[in-house]
Amino acid sequence: MQLLRSLCRIPAPAGNEVALTRFILDYVQRTQAAWRHQPVVIADDRFQDCVLLVFGQPRTAVFAHLDSIGFTVRYGRQLVRIGGPQAEAGYRLVGMDSQGQIDCTLTIDEETGELGYAFHRDIDRGTELTFYCDFRETDTTVQSCYLDNRLGVWNALRLCETLEHGVVAFSCWEEHGGGSVAYLAKFINETYGVRQALISDITWVTEGVHAGQGVAISLRDSLIPRRAYVDRIRAIATQSGIPHQLEVEGSGGSDAKELQHAAAPWDWCFIGAPEDHVHSPDELVDKRDIASMLALYQVLMQEL
Amino acid sequence: MQLLRSLCRIPAPAGNEVALTRFILDYVQRTQAAWRHQPVVIADDRFQDCVLLVFGQPRTAVFAHLDSIGFTVRYGRQLVRIGGPQAEAGYRLVGMDSQGQIDCTLTIDEETGELGYAFHRDIDRGTELTFYCDFRETDTTVQSCYLDNRLGVWNALRLCETLEHGVVAFSCWEEHGGGSVAYLAKFINETYGVRQALISDITWVTEGVHAGQGVAISLRDSLIPRRAYVDRIRAIATQSGIPHQLEVEGSGGSDAKELQHAAAPWDWCFIGAPEDHVHSPDELVDKRDIASMLALYQVLMQEL
Amino acid sequence: MQLLRSLCRIPAPAGNEVALTRFILDYVQRTQAAWRHQPVVIADDRFQDCVLLVFGQPRTAVFAHLDSIGFTVRYGRQLVRIGGPQAEAGYRLVGMDSQGQIDCTLTIDEETGELGYAFHRDIDRGTELTFYCDFRETDTTVQSCYLDNRLGVWNALRLCETLEHGVVAFSCWEEHGGGSVAYLAKFINETYGVRQALISDITWVTEGVHAGQGVAISLRDSLIPRRAYVDRIRAIATQSGIPHQLEVEGSGGSDAKELQHAAAPWDWCFIGAPEDHVHSPDELVDKRDIASMLALYQVLMQEL
């Protein structure tokens, strides 16, 4: 879990993912010699702060978003949300501005509900703040801010160790309306003819999806993937014997939104471990669900 | 109306339209010999469960969505909406899961408003349920679930009997956020140079649009089509003498949303018969409006 | 300000921008001989009612939307909004229908809040109404309806006088969900390789952005541009010494929405003078902010 811990600690709020991009590129460079197959690494101006790893003759692409939720400093001591973070007075927020490191506290106006910060000085307008990372690990769980989606990124990186054919795409802006998957998908589709996707992201523990019972295969959220594709995935999952659960939601979204609306016939399915305390500094995931997530991705990338 | 009755009875909730796709392909194969002109039939992996019929040298494309509203089985006996169906306790819902045919009843929790079902057994998670089809015909009306949009599909199929130049596109996911028109439009535009569209779909009886007074030409809904294109259509409609009405709404949408946001300069206009009891099992349309809808499409596809 | 006055007076509600398109094309033809460099003028069926002016070897595109907010006549004497206009009983609205010129008054039903009009006769269904233009100029301010975005258009046209390299794009539908920037951006990106954009539009005077303190560089609105690009712009602005302010909002949008969601890696930044009395007939802008807007665009188009 040392890799996951490192990933969780790097600030990468939507729109400013560059620190995590650099970490990924460095990690790939340091690690790939030990991987079973070598990918083509694509990361240049055509892809902003995204990274593509292309293995062999790909049939399926895995999308894992780099960015996280957070807050932007507005005027006075106001904060504006990046994505949809939980907000509780007292949350510890960190960042950096022209005057240096910031380690401040989230405040909530009791009357207006307006978000703000308490700090010994004013923070530069437009500065991004993220949750302070308190990474906690037990025999059975990991807990930290930003498991959504550093765990999806971790899953994608670990998948690379054995992957023979496939694209691994690290995307940006997912938590705040999207903005990179449209062009990533276009490039992947037009260059490799790929139109199958798996969304390596984290979902919710709910009344129907329980911690420790396996990775969740989402049958739908606010969008509905094509039934025929999801049925193929379910058959492979059942065949594999890997523990998994079926999720059915009416809300929520992912990088799949941009695939669904792309001008190419993408099939997609969201497959991810469930977490508790969603979008808070205390996101909690069962290690068994992490293990089954990686195992299922390994099988699916072979079978699909 | 035998064709319409058949169309209404085939379950095709958004995301799982494949049964209707097969019916359309079979119908075209059985019927096209009697059509005045033969289309090229395009239906393969590049288009998921959509179908394109290309006649002659097309200048205009007709879009008719195959999918319908419905419900997905969630956890316990909960239901989640597919699109925006009306929900009334007691509605009869049908479907199929691993244990066989389902014929159950919609329930609504009086306190929470949560949707559920009453049935003698549990239904598999993720199963789609649709309205039971009670097709009713009088001398002057048809009534059934899913006239929206099986009537639009019917109109498109009947149009094929005489069509010389044009594309007829059967799309998916319209009721649930879209997802196929973007790539259909891209293909049509890039392959045939077409950028004029008609949306063959069903609209609402309102204080300004009345049953029996002719097909509705929509001047706007939540989106606004280009005035110059709509004015050309209005001029042709007036010239033709075919009964029609002008609709002006501030809400509602259609396959046109994806055309409006496409990376090509599509002109579009929604033209469809109005129905009462929208999105319920009792959608009701006046036969005169069906007749004028088909007649107007025949003229427009020649004149535009 | 004679040009600005002319621009404000031309009705161009979203979806029916053609009168302003014609004015722009005519203005360019009359004026361009005096410009330092001659653009290629692109305005044909491929671009609906949009106009592109291409100077030299462009690296950056300026987007200025032609359309405005307004109202559509519905049934009876009801009105439906085009975009998000302020509505106050008594506002003077103008337009034209089959019976001639219209000069009427906005009404608001006290109970339902429904919008309507008072006029001596019924107005044709589907007619667009816009605010009556009362253009007011003082030594320090201009005030009129539709400074949003005729001032952005004015800025783009004045920029043309000295522009050497760059694309100036006049777009449609911005106030009502967009619909042209997707294809303009695709053409600009694929033809010229450009993926940097500036949004020449008008923003709000708020508690953090004040009239007279310079053009606003928006660090975010409902969307978040890529930090690296905005930081480059801020550095150039600071270096230039041109008065400017930094804006941070959680809501609002612009033509940038379509760039953010395009299937190309556009970097964008909204840069515009702030106005008071937004989306009313009395939009008010400080002349110093207009001057700094134009000055900053001149520098940025050289430096970026």
Side-chain angles (χ1 to χ4, degrees):
Chain A
M1 300 279 99
Q2 184 52 45
L3 172 59
L4 180 59
R5 180 194 296 258
S6 298
L7 290 169
C8 287
R9 286 189 169 165
I10 297 168
N16 197 4
E17 298 87 349
V18 65
L20 190 50
T21 307
R22 287 189 193 130
F23 178 89
I24 299 284
L25 289 172
D26 181 59
Y27 176 85
V28 170
Q29 202 176 11
R30 283 188 290 109
T31 317
Q32 66 178 334
W35 296 355
R36 207 170 292 170
H37 306 275
Q38 298 306 308
V40 176
V41 179
I42 304 177
D44 58 51
D45 276 4
R46 294 171 300 163
F47 303 96
Q48 295 179 322
D49 298 317
C50 301
V51 176
L52 292 174
L53 306 176
V54 184
F55 292 82
Q57 279 82 49
R59 300 177 308 275
T60 304
V62 173
F63 289 86
H65 72 86
L66 297 175
D67 63 296
S68 79
I69 52 177
F71 304 87
T72 316
V73 175
R74 194 173 177 249
Y75 314 134
R77 299 206 155 190
Q78 299 170 333
L79 295 179
V80 184
R81 278 182 169 88
I82 299 171
Q86 284 299 312
E88 223 170 87
Y91 277 172
R92 191 172 161 189
L93 304 179
V94 294
M96 166 117 69
D97 71 1
S98 65
Q99 297 174 70
Q101 295 290 340
I102 298 152
D103 192 333
C104 66
T105 302
L106 180 68
T107 63
I108 305 182
D109 186 292
E110 283 188 13
E111 279 178 32
T112 63
E114 232 177 43
L115 304 181
Y117 64 86
F119 195 43
H120 65 80
R121 63 166 174 89
D122 282 352
I123 302 175
D124 288 353
R125 198 175 279 197
T127 301
E128 297 108 348
L129 301 176
T130 53
F131 291 134
Y132 168 79
C133 178
D134 175 18
F135 192 90
R136 290 147 280 175
E137 188 178 352
T138 70
D139 286 352
T140 58
T141 62
V142 289
Q143 186 164 27
S144 172
C145 60
Y146 304 138
L147 292 179
D148 171 3
N149 185 38
R150 302 307 153 76
L151 201 42
V153 171
W154 178 93
N155 178 65
L157 287 172
R158 293 295 314 278
L159 176 67
C160 289
E161 297 174 8
T162 55
L163 188 61
E164 185 170 5
H165 300 293
V167 177
V168 173
F170 296 101
S171 66
C172 295
W173 278 298
E174 191 269 353
E175 295 287 4
H176 200 86
S180 67
V181 170
Y183 65 75
L184 292 172
K186 180 171 193 275
F187 175 82
I188 293 167
N189 178 256
E190 294 186 353
T191 310
Y192 306 106
V194 169
R195 50 184 181 239
Q196 298 184 137
L198 301 176
I199 308 300
S200 178
D201 200 346
I202 300 305
T203 187
W204 312 327
V205 167
T206 61
E207 59 203 296
V209 171
H210 304 284
Q213 301 196 359
V215 62
I217 299 175
S218 175
L219 306 186
R220 61 168 289 183
D221 49 31
S222 66
L223 290 180
I224 302 175
R226 194 158 68 118
R227 179 86 193 193
Y229 181 65
V230 174
D231 282 351
R232 280 175 61 210
I233 286 172
R234 290 174 60 178
I236 295 168
T238 301
Q239 185 83 22
S240 74
I242 296 164
H244 64 277
Q245 311 176 65
L246 299 179
E247 179 184 78
V248 179
E249 290 294 338
S251 60
S254 71
D255 273 340
K257 283 193 177 186
E258 292 185 73
L259 296 178
Q260 177 73 6
H261 294 116
W266 282 92
D267 278 321
W268 55 269
C269 185
F270 181 113
I271 302 179
E275 72 173 21
D276 218 337
H277 310 300
V278 174
H279 282 194
S280 82
D282 304 307
E283 296 178 354
L284 178 72
V285 179
D286 190 295
K287 285 183 171 178
R288 291 169 293 182
D289 299 333
I290 300 174
S292 64
M293 183 175 178
L294 178 56
L296 186 55
Y297 270 82
Q298 287 169 337
V299 170
L300 287 171
M301 292 303 284
Q302 289 182 320
E303 305 279 325
L304 275 173
Chain B
M1 301 279 98
Q2 184 53 47
L3 171 59
L4 181 59
R5 180 193 296 259
S6 299
L7 290 168
C8 287
R9 285 189 169 164
I10 298 168
N16 196 3
E17 297 88 349
V18 66
L20 190 51
T21 307
R22 287 189 192 129
F23 178 89
I24 299 284
L25 288 172
D26 181 59
Y27 175 85
V28 170
Q29 201 175 12
R30 284 188 289 109
T31 316
Q32 66 177 335
W35 295 354
R36 207 170 292 168
H37 306 274
Q38 300 305 308
V40 178
V41 180
I42 304 177
D44 58 50
D45 276 4
R46 293 171 300 163
F47 303 95
Q48 295 181 321
D49 298 317
C50 301
V51 176
L52 292 174
L53 306 176
V54 183
F55 292 81
Q57 278 82 48
R59 300 177 308 276
T60 305
V62 173
F63 289 86
H65 72 85
L66 297 174
D67 63 296
S68 80
I69 52 178
F71 303 88
T72 315
V73 174
R74 195 173 176 249
Y75 315 133
R77 298 206 156 190
Q78 299 170 333
L79 295 179
V80 184
R81 279 182 169 88
I82 299 170
Q86 284 298 313
E88 223 169 87
Y91 277 171
R92 191 172 162 190
L93 304 179
V94 295
M96 165 117 69
D97 70 1
S98 65
Q99 297 175 70
Q101 296 289 340
I102 298 152
D103 192 334
C104 66
T105 303
L106 180 67
T107 63
I108 305 182
D109 187 292
E110 282 187 15
E111 280 179 32
T112 63
E114 233 177 43
L115 304 181
Y117 64 86
F119 195 44
H120 65 79
R121 63 167 174 88
D122 282 352
I123 302 175
D124 288 352
R125 197 175 280 196
T127 301
E128 296 108 347
L129 301 176
T130 52
F131 290 133
Y132 168 79
C133 177
D134 176 19
F135 193 90
R136 289 147 282 176
E137 188 178 353
T138 70
D139 286 351
T140 56
T141 63
V142 289
Q143 186 164 27
S144 171
C145 61
Y146 303 137
L147 292 179
D148 171 4
N149 186 35
R150 302 307 152 76
L151 201 43
V153 171
W154 178 93
N155 178 65
L157 287 172
R158 294 294 314 279
L159 176 68
C160 289
E161 297 174 9
T162 56
L163 189 60
E164 185 170 4
H165 300 293
V167 176
V168 174
F170 296 101
S171 67
C172 295
W173 278 298
E174 191 269 352
E175 295 287 4
H176 199 87
S180 67
V181 170
Y183 63 75
L184 293 173
K186 181 171 193 274
F187 176 82
I188 294 167
N189 178 257
E190 294 185 354
T191 311
Y192 307 106
V194 169
R195 50 184 180 238
Q196 297 184 137
L198 301 175
I199 309 299
S200 178
D201 201 346
I202 300 306
T203 187
W204 312 326
V205 168
T206 61
E207 60 205 294
V209 172
H210 305 283
Q213 301 196 358
V215 61
I217 299 174
S218 175
L219 306 186
R220 61 166 290 182
D221 49 31
S222 66
L223 290 180
I224 301 176
R226 194 159 68 119
R227 179 87 193 192
Y229 181 64
V230 174
D231 281 351
R232 281 175 60 210
I233 286 171
R234 290 174 62 178
I236 295 168
T238 302
Q239 183 83 22
S240 74
I242 296 164
H244 63 277
Q245 310 176 66
L246 300 179
E247 181 183 77
V248 179
E249 290 294 339
S251 60
S254 72
D255 273 340
K257 283 194 179 188
E258 293 186 73
L259 295 178
Q260 177 74 5
H261 294 115
W266 282 92
D267 278 321
W268 55 269
C269 186
F270 181 112
I271 301 178
E275 73 174 20
D276 218 337
H277 310 300
V278 173
H279 282 194
S280 82
D282 304 307
E283 296 179 354
L284 179 72
V285 178
D286 190 295
K287 284 182 172 177
R288 290 169 292 182
D289 299 333
I290 300 175
S292 64
M293 183 175 178
L294 179 55
L296 185 55
Y297 271 83
Q298 288 169 337
V299 170
L300 287 170
M301 291 302 284
Q302 289 181 320
E303 305 279 325
L304 273 173
Chain C
M1 299 278 98
Q2 185 52 45
L3 172 59
L4 180 59
R5 181 193 296 258
S6 299
L7 290 168
C8 286
R9 285 189 169 164
I10 297 169
N16 197 3
E17 297 88 349
V18 65
L20 190 52
T21 307
R22 286 189 193 129
F23 178 90
I24 298 285
L25 288 171
D26 181 59
Y27 175 85
V28 170
Q29 203 175 12
R30 283 188 289 109
T31 317
Q32 67 178 334
W35 296 355
R36 207 170 292 168
H37 306 275
Q38 299 306 308
V40 177
V41 180
I42 304 178
D44 58 50
D45 276 4
R46 293 172 301 164
F47 303 95
Q48 295 180 322
D49 298 317
C50 301
V51 176
L52 292 174
L53 306 177
V54 183
F55 291 81
Q57 278 83 47
R59 300 177 308 275
T60 305
V62 173
F63 289 86
H65 73 85
L66 297 174
D67 63 297
S68 80
I69 52 177
F71 303 87
T72 316
V73 174
R74 193 173 177 248
Y75 315 134
R77 299 204 156 192
Q78 299 170 334
L79 295 179
V80 184
R81 279 183 170 86
I82 299 170
Q86 284 299 313
E88 224 170 85
Y91 277 172
R92 191 171 163 191
L93 305 178
V94 295
M96 165 117 69
D97 70 0
S98 65
Q99 296 174 69
Q101 295 289 340
I102 298 151
D103 191 335
C104 66
T105 303
L106 180 68
T107 64
I108 305 182
D109 187 292
E110 282 188 14
E111 279 178 32
T112 64
E114 234 177 43
L115 305 180
Y117 64 85
F119 195 44
H120 65 81
R121 63 167 174 88
D122 282 352
I123 303 176
D124 289 353
R125 197 175 281 197
T127 302
E128 297 108 348
L129 301 176
T130 52
F131 291 133
Y132 168 80
C133 178
D134 176 18
F135 193 90
R136 289 147 281 176
E137 188 178 352
T138 70
D139 286 351
T140 57
T141 63
V142 290
Q143 186 164 28
S144 171
C145 60
Y146 303 138
L147 293 179
D148 170 6
N149 184 35
R150 303 306 153 76
L151 200 43
V153 171
W154 178 93
N155 178 65
L157 287 172
R158 295 294 314 278
L159 176 68
C160 290
E161 297 173 8
T162 55
L163 189 61
E164 184 170 5
H165 300 293
V167 177
V168 174
F170 297 101
S171 66
C172 294
W173 277 299
E174 191 269 353
E175 295 286 5
H176 199 88
S180 67
V181 170
Y183 64 75
L184 292 173
K186 181 171 193 274
F187 176 82
I188 293 167
N189 178 256
E190 295 185 353
T191 310
Y192 306 105
V194 169
R195 51 184 180 237
Q196 298 185 137
L198 301 176
I199 309 299
S200 178
D201 201 346
I202 299 305
T203 188
W204 313 326
V205 167
T206 61
E207 60 203 296
V209 172
H210 305 284
Q213 302 197 356
V215 61
I217 299 175
S218 175
L219 306 187
R220 60 166 291 183
D221 50 30
S222 67
L223 290 180
I224 301 175
R226 194 159 68 118
R227 180 88 194 191
Y229 181 64
V230 175
D231 281 352
R232 281 176 61 211
I233 286 171
R234 290 173 61 179
I236 295 169
T238 301
Q239 184 83 22
S240 75
I242 295 164
H244 63 277
Q245 311 176 65
L246 300 179
E247 179 184 78
V248 179
E249 290 294 339
S251 61
S254 71
D255 273 340
K257 283 194 179 188
E258 293 186 72
L259 296 178
Q260 177 74 6
H261 294 116
W266 282 92
D267 278 321
W268 54 270
C269 186
F270 181 112
I271 302 178
E275 71 175 19
D276 218 336
H277 311 300
V278 174
H279 283 195
S280 82
D282 304 308
E283 296 178 354
L284 179 72
V285 179
D286 190 295
K287 284 182 172 178
R288 290 169 292 181
D289 300 333
I290 300 175
S292 63
M293 183 175 178
L294 179 54
L296 185 56
Y297 271 83
Q298 288 169 337
V299 170
L300 287 171
M301 292 302 285
Q302 289 181 321
E303 304 280 325
L304 275 174

